[in-house]
């Protein structure tokens, strides 16, 4: 059987298994192993299974071993640990509190503070779902108590949580960089302006929403003195310091992304102990949560690496590249088709699953058009970010729904999300039309 045909059948099998809710890691590894076995077994022209066992085993074990021993992969547990330690040490919540103190007087100020708090949380943790879960527990109940419309109270945090995908450090950027062999430090820097642009767009959505419908965000009698505002701003210095170490260190060439992560984990731990906000029990809990979360990511990544090796073995990527070349698609049409594919997959699959499933085919295609992989990485992450709040399976929406319970049904959250989705689509269009938005800071850092 032709290897390219086996590759096409394998992709169909993966989609069927994912539709049946088979875990993504098991799906990729099992399909890749079986597919590789058949390719090696049919190499002589006839079916010879005894000749397929050794090369198949070698492909499976060598690729998973190489990935797990990748130096860049060590960033993931470090940044995940940073997020958990910073939360336990009360570093991340101070960002939200400072924003709330300064913005309370504005119409919809607490919702704006929630989005800014999500942005600050994202700048430390790098995880969208963790951001939505944590900030949802803090911000959403408070807004509901203040009489905010449930659509605004929930959608602002669900949308704000997606900033964790784009604002560095991002776990998705790390995985993209490892699988495409691009500079993770450059990817981090490339995500800054698009992330800030998205954050500003979300704040603008809230301002317009509250201006046109004041009843969704009743004014509050709570007031803070100038001294209280400055104290709140000062108390957020640990979060600002960590962000400066990550971005400033990478931009200035002082640290690699991995070194910046290690320095920040150490700094967050010391700050937590010094301020007496972090106990040994909290630290141990953060380490346990890091191990659980990292193990899941590593398992998916290792299985995906096996799948990537299998796709290379089938030769299906060059076939697709040739088919697209023969179709003579323009760059604009190519990017529109890619966007549609990612948006459709984003409705049903989680971001890591989409990335590891599509990159083996997308990267050769993008390279054939001589497009910048750093810019394309930002586009992909932005598309995955949109998928986190797109029905019917918007993971961040379900996270928020689980936090608030009956106070805000799923349909109300999705109703509020529509406004934020429109901003996401506009920012996506700007990123695709003007690559300099993504590439300006990485180019300046050279």
């Amino acid at each position: 059987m032709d290897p390219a045909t086996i590759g096409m059948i394998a992709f169909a099998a993966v989609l069927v298994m994912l539709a049946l809710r088979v875990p993504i890691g098991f799906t990729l590894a099992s399909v890749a192993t079986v597919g590789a076995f058949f390719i090696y077994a049919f190499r002589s022209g006839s079916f010879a299974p005894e000749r397929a066992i050794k090369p198949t085993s070698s492909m499976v074990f060598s690729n998973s071993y190489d990935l797990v021993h990748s130096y860049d992969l060590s960033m993931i547990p470090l940044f995940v640990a940073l997020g958990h330690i910073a939360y336990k040490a009360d570093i991340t919540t101070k960002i939200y509190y400072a924003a709330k103190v300064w913005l309370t007087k504005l119409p919809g100020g607490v919702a704006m503070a929630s989005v800014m708090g999500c942005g600050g949380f994202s700048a430390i943790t790098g995880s969208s779902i963790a951001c939505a879960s944590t900030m949802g527990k803090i911000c959403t109940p408070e807004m509901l108590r203040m009489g905010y419309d449930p659509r605004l109270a929930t959608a602002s945090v669900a949308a704000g949580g997606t900033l964790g995908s784009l604002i560095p450090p991002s776990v998705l950027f790390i995985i993209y960089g490892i699988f495409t062999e691009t500079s993770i430090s450059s990817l981090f820097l490339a995500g800054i302006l698009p992330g800030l642009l998205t954050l500003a767009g979300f704040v603008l959505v809230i301002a317009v929403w509250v201006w046109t419908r004041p009843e969704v965000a009743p004014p509050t009698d709570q007031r803070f003195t100038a001294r209280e505002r400055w104290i709140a701003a000062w108390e957020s210095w640990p979060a600002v310091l960590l962000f400066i170490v990550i971005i400033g260190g990478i931009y200035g060439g002082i640290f690699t992304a991995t070194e910046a992560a290690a320095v920040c984990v150490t700094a967050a731990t010391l700050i937590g102990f010094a301020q007496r906000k972090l106990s040994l029990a909290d630290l141990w809990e953060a380490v346990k949560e890091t191990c659980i979360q990292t193990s899941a990511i590593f398992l998916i990544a290792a299985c995906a690496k096996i799948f990537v090796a299998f796709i290379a073995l089938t030769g299906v990527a060059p076939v697709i590249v040739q088919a697209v070349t023969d179709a003579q698609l323009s760059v604009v049409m190519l990017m529109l088709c890619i966007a549609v594919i990612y948006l459709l997959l984003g409705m049903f699959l989680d971001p890591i699953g989409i990335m590891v499933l599509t990159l083996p085919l997308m990267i050769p295609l993008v390279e054939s058009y001589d497009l910048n992989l750093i810019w394309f990485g930002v586009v992909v992450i932005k598309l995955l970010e949109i998928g986190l709040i797109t029905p019917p399976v918007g993971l961040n929406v379900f996270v928020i729904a689980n936090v608030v319970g009956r106070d805000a049904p799923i349909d109300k959250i999705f109703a509020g999300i529509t406004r934020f989705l429109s901003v996401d689509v506009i920012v996506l269009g700007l990123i695709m039309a003007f690559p300099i938005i993504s590439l300006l800071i990485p180019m300046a850092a050279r």
Side-chain angles (χ1 to χ4, degrees):
M1 188 181 292
D2 178 41
T5 304
I6 294 177
M8 295 295 187
I9 295 172
F11 260 102
V14 167
L15 293 176
V16 170
M17 291 177 72
L18 291 177
L20 295 174
R21 296 297 175 189
V22 179
I24 181 73
F26 177 79
T27 296
L28 294 175
S30 59
V31 169
T33 303
V34 173
F37 181 84
F38 274 98
I39 289 175
Y40 287 122
F42 278 108
R43 274 205 164 163
S44 60
S46 59
F47 186 65
E50 67 279 359
R51 297 181 181 178
I53 296 174
K54 186 175 180 180
T56 302
S57 301
S58 176
M59 185 198 78
V60 170
F61 293 115
S62 64
N63 280 280
S64 55
Y65 179 87
D66 289 344
L67 179 92
V68 173
H69 286 77
S70 167
Y71 175 72
D72 288 336
L73 203 65
S74 61
M75 271 185 275
I76 293 179
L78 288 171
F79 279 123
V80 170
L82 175 60
H84 287 302
I85 292 170
Y87 174 66
K88 299 287 185 183
D90 203 26
I91 293 174
T92 52
T93 51
K94 291 296 184 182
I95 307 168
Y96 162 69
Y97 181 73
K100 187 185 78 168
V101 168
W102 280 88
L103 299 175
T104 295
K105 290 194 296 184
L106 296 177
V110 179
M112 295 178 187
S114 299
V115 170
M116 291 184 178
C118 287
F121 191 97
S122 303
I124 297 175
T125 62
S127 170
S128 291
I129 295 175
C131 180
S133 175
T134 303
M135 299 306 292
K137 295 173 185 175
I138 299 169
C139 311
T140 305
E142 182 173 4
M143 284 189 277
L144 292 174
R145 284 195 301 269
M146 295 173 67
Y148 274 55
D149 188 300
R151 293 173 300 173
L152 175 59
T154 53
S156 58
V157 181
T162 64
L163 295 169
S165 299
L166 207 53
I167 294 179
S170 165
V171 171
L172 292 180
F173 271 140
I174 297 173
I175 294 174
Y176 177 89
I178 290 171
F179 278 88
T180 60
E181 298 181 353
T182 51
S183 168
I184 295 173
S185 296
S186 295
L187 287 167
F188 280 177
L189 296 176
I192 295 175
L193 288 182
L196 294 177
L197 192 60
T198 303
L199 190 154
F202 287 168
V203 172
L204 182 61
V205 164
I206 295 170
V208 173
W209 191 352
V210 175
W211 180 60
T212 54
R213 298 191 60 186
E215 68 275 9
V216 300
T220 176
D221 295 331
Q222 191 176 20
R223 293 290 182 268
F224 296 94
T225 64
R227 183 174 181 274
E228 288 173 326
R229 288 198 295 269
W230 286 110
I231 289 175
W234 168 250
E235 288 180 343
S236 65
W237 70 265
V240 176
L241 174 65
L242 295 177
F243 184 73
I244 290 174
V245 169
I246 294 171
I247 302 305
I250 294 173
Y251 183 87
I254 302 170
F255 304 123
T256 64
T258 305
E259 291 166 349
V263 170
C264 284
V265 168
T266 304
T269 304
L270 293 176
I271 291 170
F273 282 132
Q275 293 186 333
R276 298 185 179 180
K277 299 288 181 66
L278 185 69
S279 65
L280 287 175
D282 291 331
L283 182 60
W284 175 240
E285 189 66 27
V287 170
K288 286 196 297 183
E289 291 170 357
T290 298
C291 291
I292 293 170
Q293 192 174 342
T294 302
S295 298
I297 295 173
F298 274 25
L299 178 62
I300 294 173
C303 293
K305 190 68 173 178
I306 298 169
F307 188 74
V308 169
F310 164 68
I311 293 300
L313 183 66
T314 63
V316 70
V319 172
I320 293 175
V321 170
Q322 187 59 49
V324 173
T325 303
D326 293 341
Q328 296 183 338
L329 290 179
S330 66
V331 174
V332 174
M333 284 302 300
L334 174 70
M335 292 307 298
L336 285 176
C337 291
I338 290 175
V340 169
I341 291 170
Y342 274 100
L343 290 175
L344 289 175
L345 290 174
M347 293 180 181
F348 305 100
L349 301 177
D350 65 280
I352 294 179
I354 297 170
M355 186 181 294
V356 298
L357 180 63
T358 58
L359 287 183
L361 296 181
M362 292 299 180
I363 296 306
L365 195 58
V366 169
E367 286 180 327
S368 71
Y369 275 75
D370 199 27
L371 298 177
N372 187 290
L373 288 183
I374 299 294
W375 165 76
F376 182 69
V378 175
V379 172
V380 167
I381 301 304
K382 185 63 186 176
L383 288 165
L384 296 176
E385 178 185 280
I386 293 173
L388 286 168
I389 52 175
T390 305
V393 187
L395 290 180
N396 276 20
V397 173
F398 280 90
V399 167
I400 297 299
N402 185 56
V403 170
V404 299
R406 297 180 180 178
D407 292 334
I410 288 285
D411 57 334
K412 280 195 174 184
I413 305 176
F414 275 125
I417 280 293
T418 307
R419 294 171 171 83
F420 295 96
L421 271 175
S422 62
V423 167
D424 270 331
V425 172
I426 292 171
V427 173
L428 173 65
L430 291 173
I431 295 170
M432 294 175 72
F434 305 102
I436 192 64
I437 295 174
S438 304
L439 300 177
L440 180 62
I441 298 180
M443 290 169 60
R446 290 178 181 173

